[in-house]
Amino acid sequence: MTKILIGYGTTEGQTARIAHHLAEAVRSHGLEAQVLDLKGSKDVPLEGYHAVIVGGSIHMGKHEEYVVDFVRKNRATLERLPSAFFSVSLAAHGDVDNARAYVENFERETCWRPTQVGLFSGALLYRQYGFLKRLMMKKIVTDKPGSLSTDTSRDHVYTDWDEVKRFAKAFLERLVP
């Protein structure tokens, strides 16, 4: 059976939710998917996997350093196997040029050019933030163009789950000989 690793880095959990959603989409096609938080996984052996999807979220303008390290360390394998990358950011919701720039920076840092890239909108989890972070995030959102909410009384998820399914489907179509 085809076995796919979906490794991710997350700060607030939205990238993990997306990774699990991708895994469900993979499993719905009769394939095996393993979801792995790369933060606690220093040496991930990629032997035994037929394909790899890597995901990371943007905070302070960069993807998680441990995701960058994972890709650098496993670049040769990622280039040999069918592989893809997904980036999660608020920029993907209305500022796609900026979201693409984050991925271009990631590609320069890692020297990896994934054959498929997904740009997924993240979430504003105001109710999970502490007081200072809530104020900071509201200020950031206020200063950005677009339609992100400044209503701090609730959380706002901007991820397009249908787009996540389309990304998985397109990836799986590439696996068929």
Side-chain angles (χ1 to χ4, degrees):
M1 176 183 283
T2 300
K3 187 175 178 182
I4 300 171
L5 174 66
I6 303 171
Y8 68 89
T10 192
T11 301
E12 296 165 356
Q14 191 64 13
T15 306
R17 287 186 275 285
I18 292 169
H20 284 280
H21 201 83
L22 283 169
E24 287 306 313
V26 167
R27 291 178 189 129
S28 75
H29 286 84
L31 305 174
E32 187 177 340
Q34 180 183 357
V35 180
L36 182 67
D37 183 348
L38 297 174
K39 187 173 188 173
S41 307
K42 298 295 180 204
D43 294 316
V44 181
L46 297 182
E47 297 81 30
Y49 292 102
H50 301 97
V52 180
I53 300 173
V54 178
S57 61
I58 293 293
H59 284 275
M60 305 298 285
K62 299 187 97 169
H63 289 92
E64 293 86 354
E65 192 60 36
Y66 58 91
V67 175
V68 171
D69 291 343
F70 171 81
V71 169
R72 281 182 184 146
K73 180 177 180 185
N74 294 287
R75 187 178 60 127
T77 304
L78 293 171
E79 289 172 346
R80 183 177 47 80
L81 293 175
S83 60
F85 179 69
F86 69 94
S87 178
V88 180
S89 67
L90 291 174
H93 185 78
D95 189 3
V96 178
D97 288 340
N98 199 21
R100 283 190 189 112
Y102 291 139
V103 172
E104 289 168 7
N105 288 339
F106 181 82
E107 290 175 345
R108 271 193 298 280
E109 281 185 90
T110 62
C111 298
W112 177 45
R113 302 292 178 264
T115 54
Q116 182 180 345
V117 173
L119 303 174
F120 302 134
S121 300
L124 282 168
L125 305 175
Y126 287 122
R127 293 183 310 168
Q128 296 179 31
Y129 303 153
F131 177 75
L132 290 177
K133 185 169 185 174
R134 188 177 312 119
L135 286 178
M136 180 184 73
M137 292 305 294
K138 183 176 179 178
K139 169 81 169 113
I140 289 169
V141 167
T142 301
D143 293 344
K144 283 188 178 274
S147 59
L148 297 171
S149 180
T150 57
D151 176 4
T152 61
S153 68
R154 65 185 200 88
D155 294 337
H156 306 274
V157 175
Y158 296 102
T159 305
D160 180 342
W161 298 109
D162 289 334
E163 181 61 27
V164 173
K165 285 180 191 171
R166 285 190 293 274
F167 175 86
K169 184 175 185 236
F171 183 74
L172 295 176
E173 286 172 352
R174 289 190 9 243
L175 297 181
V176 177

